[in-house]
Amino acid sequence: KYSKVFPVRRISKENFKSLNPKSSMSLPSPRLPWQDMAMVLSGVDDIVSKYARLKYAGQQGYFMPVLFHVYKHVLGIGWTFPNKEFPKRLAALALREAVMSDMCPRCNGKGEISTGMKIIECFSCDGSGLLRRTEKFRANFMQMHRNWWNRRWKMRFNREVMSLFDLFENDIEVALRKRLR
């Protein structure tokens, strides 16, 4: 049924890229047809569908609805926040980490940078090509001291906020397995 030239990983979340018009027009494609992927998304909650389209298909129009859902989740936990902007920033940090690429933006995942004269190891990712998500970055994003972030918010953030995305990923995985056997 699918192209024999390109092996298709039927259960791969990268197949959601076929929902983009540009991606589905190019032939031959290693991805499943967009109709199959739309059927997968019809079997999950609306917010999970929007998250999948945002993360895997890169459809940025779904950023605000997913951000608002994460914000409501953060408010629903019942924590006391230092200021009114804090839960908004916490939701933005979580969504940014969940949908952001792991590729280093400075070297585009190559691990090295050309200076014109010679090639040097990328100093942002230490030559790995992967973005480092550090607690220092998170604390800076939240506009607080690193020690305060580590002591008061690090565990809460990982356990209560980022776990929401684990649930989304699990729902997507179950829907993929159910629909694409």
Side-chain angles (χ1 to χ4, degrees):
K1 183 176 174 182
Y2 299 107
S3 172
K4 291 182 180 172
V5 176
F6 297 102
V8 176
R9 291 187 185 156
R10 295 184 58 80
I11 311 291
S12 173
K13 295 174 187 171
E14 293 298 315
N15 286 320
F16 286 114
K17 289 184 180 175
S18 66
L19 293 170
N20 291 333
K22 259 187 182 176
S23 176
S24 61
M25 299 282 244
S26 60
L27 294 174
S29 175
R31 297 192 180 103
L32 295 175
W34 68 269
Q35 295 92 337
D36 290 351
M37 300 316 295
M39 281 300 288
V40 168
L41 292 180
S42 70
V44 296
D45 288 340
D46 183 48
I47 195 64
V48 176
S49 173
K50 290 176 181 175
Y51 168 76
R53 287 174 175 267
L54 174 64
K55 181 171 183 177
Y56 297 108
Q59 296 177 346
Q60 294 299 314
Y62 294 106
F63 186 84
M64 289 308 290
V66 177
L67 179 63
F68 184 69
H69 181 81
V70 175
Y71 174 68
K72 287 192 321 187
H73 174 76
V74 168
L75 288 178
I77 295 173
W79 294 332
T80 55
F81 301 107
N83 56 46
K84 288 169 100 175
E85 293 297 313
F86 193 84
K88 293 176 187 173
R89 293 192 68 74
L90 200 61
L93 174 65
L95 185 57
R96 183 176 174 187
E97 283 198 17
V99 301
M100 194 164 94
S101 172
D102 287 337
M103 184 175 65
C104 175
R106 183 139 320 178
C107 66
N108 291 325
K110 295 175 191 162
E112 33 188 55
I113 300 172
S114 174
T115 63
M117 299 291 281
K118 62 180 183 174
I119 295 176
I120 59 171
E121 185 177 274
C122 178
F123 49 88
S124 290
C125 63
D126 293 328
S128 69
L130 300 175
L131 186 65
R132 295 179 299 178
R133 295 191 177 114
T134 64
E135 297 306 323
K136 180 180 178 183
F137 169 79
R138 291 176 179 141
N140 288 340
F141 188 88
M142 294 306 296
Q143 299 174 343
M144 62 175 36
H145 193 272
R146 187 175 54 202
N147 291 340
W148 183 249
W149 169 261
N150 286 337
R151 188 177 314 126
R152 178 119 172 122
W153 293 100
K154 175 183 167 184
M155 184 74 88
R156 290 177 173 188
F157 176 74
N158 289 327
R159 187 178 53 224
E160 301 290 334
V161 182
M162 292 306 288
S163 64
L164 179 65
F165 299 108
D166 292 338
L167 295 174
F168 288 172
E169 293 288 341
N170 184 50
D171 288 352
I172 294 168
E173 191 73 31
V174 168
L176 279 168
R177 291 189 187 287
K178 191 185 302 182
R179 297 278 183 189
L180 300 177
R181 282 188 218 170

